[in-house]
Amino acid sequence: MVLLSLAWKSLRNRLLTTSLTVLSIGLSMALLLGVENVRVGARESFANTISQTDLIVGARGGSLQLLLYSVFRIGQATNNISYESYQHWKNHPAVAWTIPYSLGDSHRGFRVVGTTEDFYQHLRFRRDRQIEFAAGHSPKDVFDVALGSDVAQALGYKLGDKVVIAHGVAAGRGIADNDHADKPFTVSGILKKTATPVDRSLYIQLEGITAVHIDWADGAPPMAGDEIPASKISKENMKVEQITSFLLRCKSRIATLQLQREINTYKDEAMQAIIPGVTLQELWRTIGYAEDALQVVTIFVILVGLLGMLVSLYTSLNERRREMAILRAIGAGPGKIIALLVLESGLLAFAGCILGVVMIYGLSFIFQPIVEQQFGLYVPVQPPTQTGWIYLGAVIFAGLLIGFVPAWKAYRNTLADGLSVRV
Amino acid sequence: MSSPAVVLRDVRFSYRSGPEILDIPELTIARGERVFLFGPSGSGKTTLLGLLAGVLTGYTGSVEVLGQDMAKLRGSARDAFRGSHIGYIFQLFNLIPYLTVEENITLPGRLHPARGKQTGDVNAVAQRLGIEHLLSRSVTQLSVGQQQRVAAARALLGGPELLIADEPTSSLDFDHRERFLELLFENCALSNSTLLFVSHDRSLAGKFDRQLSLLDFNRAHRKEAAV
């Protein structure tokens, strides 16, 4: 305890160096913990892009592909599934709810998704958050469209604006910009930000998808004279023939595997059902390299911080030779001299860690909403994760360990100096 | 209590492969004695003190302090022995800059519980040395004279059997020097401490029980002179 109070007072005496050292360790610690939080946040956000969905069902093909176009709106389906099959599974006794998606059209680079009221009712992300409207309401008419918040923001649309959707999903413009120009949609609602791919799509009714393609044949626009004008179209006379995929929630989770098997072996149509969590994990593993790289960089930042501490302690030793001689004279052995310096460096590392934790708490508290808004990344404000604690422990331990370097130097000094120090 | 404070026999010492610094056939200092040790710089004064304090090892012959054969003590035991039984005053900069006056004075007692137990009243010692009003001050605010008195208080607290003072007055002016010496004598008498006072200023020598010239009993220099 005597040594601890000595170490503390000695550090306090060199306030400027001490605070700079603590600051540098604190900053690197905050960076390390911040990266850790972002890493966890990214993984969580990713894993929680959809929640409460037990199965994603689509035409048979790659499971990753199904996940990508159903959840992330990346890539395209090679096949659709029939509306009858969808109805069959929707009415299956084990099924709680379904959300159908009909994909394939776009608007200025953003995907257009045909769906039903179920989407606004049942879709969950980040555990239990659901779709909310910033303005307006869900599409009630065939030619109504609801915009994801990114879409509305990027294109500057407001309620009542006319939107023309294009056939195909090529980035930027559709195949020909005005494919469905004869049937414009009206913005009926704008969704609140969800920080998921939901923000980057436009939502219309399934019947809307049918309507814009009603006069098309074999994927080609109608010949002159064959067009069916929008005025002749109403929700009632639109018959949905097919959808692309659907999300499914079981009444009991235990039924999930059973149902998955049933769908995969469905005789009437070649279909596949995937468990999103499993496939999301597969996907994360393939794109997880970035987080490793990030971690390596921050570990080097920590090393630089600790090295700074080493330098500041080491250079202070020459001014402190006198102090060491006094301590020797009043009976402090080399062991105590070493302990004093190791304690000082341990205290510095400890204080740096505390500062780092406080900083990262404060920063995530301030920047959480901004990060979520700008990057769609939900970084939780939470006490350090298990990995975070391991980092903290490791840095304090490294701090103590590093203390042995100046301690050894001081020990050598005291042996050489004895009680005589030429100032 | 019957053993002398210091007994040296046939002590030879040299720093690593350097010339011999000390060659002392015999030196005895009785308990309670006030000894004035003088000699030109480089005559081995500081080295001798290092041996007595148990900081320097690697000598031949025997060094007994307060009846304890220093060669028989291992490293940490030597440090503890010094901390518990010996008070030490340097020429200058005796104090730890980041502690208050009181913390400086009580530090040996806190480092060594044995010394701590016999630690007398800090206030009493401070009062005798005329620094009781400075106890809570930071040492950096003190004049040199005050600093030396604080150093004396630290060395004297707990009444160590042996007090070693290495040119403690050389940075003080004449008046302060006289006053400091008086205080040192008074307090050594109170705690019955042996005082080994090192200086090159012979004008103070008359106040001591015995005067020792290092050149007289250290044969190392005679040999060197003969060469």
Side-chain angles (χ1 to χ4, degrees):
Chain A
M1 278 317 285
V2 184
L3 287 176
L4 196 62
S5 97
L6 269 186
W8 168 250
K9 282 169 179 159
S10 144
L11 288 175
R12 208 183 46 189
N13 186 49
R14 287 170 287 132
L15 197 58
L16 185 65
T17 335
T18 300
S19 10
L20 286 177
T21 309
V22 169
L23 188 68
S24 91
I25 295 177
L27 278 173
S28 42
M29 207 60 226
L31 188 64
L32 187 67
L33 292 175
V35 165
E36 171 66 12
N37 274 359
V38 168
R39 209 167 61 84
V40 170
R43 180 182 290 179
E44 291 263 307
S45 305
F46 188 75
N48 284 315
T49 314
I50 53 167
S51 40
Q52 298 193 12
T53 295
D54 293 327
L55 293 172
I56 302 174
V57 185
R60 199 162 289 167
S63 58
L64 209 52
Q65 192 190 6
L66 175 56
L67 179 85
L68 285 175
Y69 66 68
S70 299
V71 176
F72 295 98
R73 320 276 189 243
I74 295 170
Q76 297 181 56
T78 37
N79 266 310
N80 280 346
I81 53 177
S82 71
Y83 195 66
E84 285 77 45
S85 299
Y86 165 61
Q87 287 295 330
H88 170 80
W89 294 112
K90 181 187 163 125
N91 298 322
H92 191 284
V95 173
W97 51 253
T98 58
I99 300 170
Y101 286 146
S102 189
L103 308 166
D105 285 353
S106 66
H107 173 73
R108 297 177 66 177
F110 294 104
R111 304 290 173 107
V112 173
V113 178
T115 186
T116 62
E117 268 311 299
D118 294 321
F119 174 75
Y120 310 98
Q121 289 293 314
H122 297 308
L123 188 80
R124 293 290 185 276
F125 53 94
R126 213 166 302 137
R127 295 212 173 77
D128 57 355
R129 308 261 290 261
Q130 63 172 333
I131 306 283
E132 287 174 84
F133 280 88
H137 53 78
S138 61
K140 301 291 180 207
D141 186 78
V142 188
F143 293 113
D144 277 354
V145 59
L147 307 179
S149 71
D150 285 0
V151 180
Q153 204 184 356
L155 303 179
Y157 289 150
K158 46 191 193 304
L159 293 184
D161 282 356
K162 295 287 184 211
V163 174
V164 168
I165 67 174
H167 196 69
V169 292
R173 303 167 137 219
I175 295 165
D177 205 28
N178 288 333
D179 310 48
H180 302 310
D182 56 328
K183 300 183 182 69
F185 284 72
T186 308
V187 177
S188 73
I190 292 169
L191 274 49
K192 269 194 189 161
K193 181 110 184 157
T194 66
T196 71
V198 166
D199 299 340
R200 305 189 53 79
S201 299
L202 297 81
Y203 300 89
I204 63 176
Q205 295 190 324
L206 284 179
E207 289 80 3
I209 297 279
T210 311
V212 293
H213 297 104
I214 189 87
D215 42 13
W216 286 41
D218 301 326
M223 309 293 282
D226 289 351
E227 299 102 331
I228 298 172
S231 54
K232 291 206 176 151
I233 291 172
S234 71
K235 187 169 177 174
E236 287 66 38
N237 58 25
M238 287 299 107
K239 190 163 174 295
V240 180
E241 301 280 353
Q242 49 184 354
I243 63 170
T244 311
S245 62
F246 61 94
L247 311 183
L248 181 155
R249 165 82 162 175
C250 292
K251 281 178 183 149
S252 106
R253 313 270 331 237
I254 307 157
T256 305
L257 287 176
Q258 167 77 29
L259 196 64
Q260 185 188 20
R261 206 173 312 116
E262 261 183 68
I263 295 174
N264 285 340
T265 57
Y266 186 49
K267 291 271 178 347
D268 294 4
E269 192 167 4
M271 299 175 80
Q272 67 165 344
I274 59 167
I275 297 173
V278 174
T279 313
L280 277 169
Q281 257 176 29
E282 261 171 48
L283 184 58
W284 183 254
R285 267 201 294 277
T286 60
I287 61 174
Y289 290 113
E291 69 173 346
D292 293 343
L294 209 57
Q295 220 164 357
V296 169
V297 171
T298 46
I299 285 171
F300 275 102
V301 172
I302 279 281
L303 284 182
V304 170
L306 288 173
L307 223 61
M309 174 176 84
L310 175 62
V311 169
S312 87
L313 278 179
Y314 203 86
T315 49
S316 73
L317 283 185
N318 260 338
E319 314 154 19
R320 298 179 67 190
R321 281 179 103 129
R322 187 76 218 167
E323 180 190 329
M324 299 302 158
I326 297 167
L327 287 171
R328 289 281 281 147
I330 59 177
K336 285 192 170 143
I337 303 280
I338 288 176
L340 176 67
L341 283 155
V342 169
L343 272 175
E344 284 188 17
S345 119
L347 276 176
L348 284 174
F350 184 67
C353 283
I354 290 180
L355 182 68
V357 170
V358 169
M359 276 201 280
I360 200 62
Y361 250 106
L363 287 179
S364 15
F365 195 74
I366 296 169
F367 288 109
Q368 187 189 39
I370 301 167
V371 169
E372 187 171 0
Q373 282 248 310
Q374 295 294 314
F375 304 105
L377 191 65
Y378 177 77
V379 179
V381 179
Q382 59 181 19
T385 57
Q386 197 189 349
T387 322
W389 283 115
I390 292 173
Y391 284 147
L392 288 170
V395 166
I396 292 173
F397 182 71
L400 288 170
L401 218 57
I402 280 178
F404 277 98
V405 178
W408 182 251
K409 162 86 168 159
Y411 170 68
R412 303 287 309 170
N413 282 350
T414 60
L415 284 193
D417 295 346
L419 298 182
S420 64
V421 171
R422 293 148 282 268
V423 186
Chain B
M1 281 303 286
S2 57
S3 60
V6 172
V7 181
L8 268 64
R9 255 183 232 106
D10 299 324
V11 172
R12 287 157 178 262
F13 180 86
S14 60
Y15 289 100
R16 233 175 263 189
S17 73
E20 200 161 68
I21 307 279
L22 294 178
D23 176 4
I24 303 173
E26 210 268 325
L27 171 67
T28 305
I29 298 173
R31 294 235 182 197
E33 217 179 350
R34 293 179 299 190
V35 176
F36 183 84
L37 178 69
F38 64 94
S41 32
S43 58
K45 284 175 295 186
T46 305
T47 306
L48 176 61
L49 298 186
L51 287 187
L52 295 180
V55 176
L56 294 175
T57 54
Y59 55 87
T60 60
S62 94
V63 176
E64 266 183 42
V65 179
L66 306 166
Q68 172 67 53
D69 184 350
M70 295 305 274
K72 286 193 176 138
L73 291 177
R74 298 196 65 82
S76 61
R78 246 183 356 254
D79 295 319
F81 180 80
R82 175 174 65 253
S84 313
H85 301 285
I86 302 175
Y88 206 107
I89 307 175
F90 291 103
Q91 174 179 355
L92 254 184
F93 307 115
N94 272 288
L95 307 174
I96 309 255
Y98 49 81
L99 298 181
T100 66
V101 169
E102 181 168 10
E103 285 166 335
N104 260 289
I105 295 177
T106 55
L107 192 56
R110 284 191 291 149
L111 277 174
H112 291 281
R115 175 85 171 268
K117 265 176 218 145
Q118 7 165 322
T119 295
D121 187 0
V122 180
N123 285 312
V125 174
Q127 207 149 24
R128 288 204 298 275
L129 287 161
I131 50 168
E132 72 275 16
H133 58 292
L134 303 175
L135 283 179
S136 58
R137 290 268 194 96
S138 155
V139 297
T140 49
Q141 300 171 326
L142 304 186
S143 70
V144 177
Q146 287 169 328
Q147 284 185 28
Q148 290 304 78
R149 276 188 273 168
V150 173
R154 181 180 63 206
L156 285 162
L157 187 68
E161 289 97 321
L162 176 61
L163 183 65
I164 299 176
D166 187 1
E167 310 229 20
T169 54
S170 56
S171 52
L172 303 179
D173 59 39
F174 182 78
D175 288 339
H176 281 100
R177 203 173 298 172
E178 297 279 307
R179 177 78 190 122
F180 183 79
L181 212 53
E182 270 169 42
L183 287 170
L184 217 51
F185 283 168
E186 273 171 37
N187 284 283
C188 281
L190 264 175
S191 53
N192 200 26
S193 306
T194 308
L195 174 63
L196 179 57
F197 190 99
V198 180
S199 179
H200 60 258
D201 178 6
R202 307 264 294 267
S203 66
L204 299 168
K207 303 181 187 298
F208 289 79
D209 300 341
R210 184 146 71 109
Q211 294 79 34
L212 285 174
S213 166
L214 196 57
L215 289 179
D216 288 345
F217 64 87
N218 182 10
R219 295 192 305 203
H221 289 270
R222 266 179 255 165
K223 269 181 268 172
E224 204 172 296
V227 170

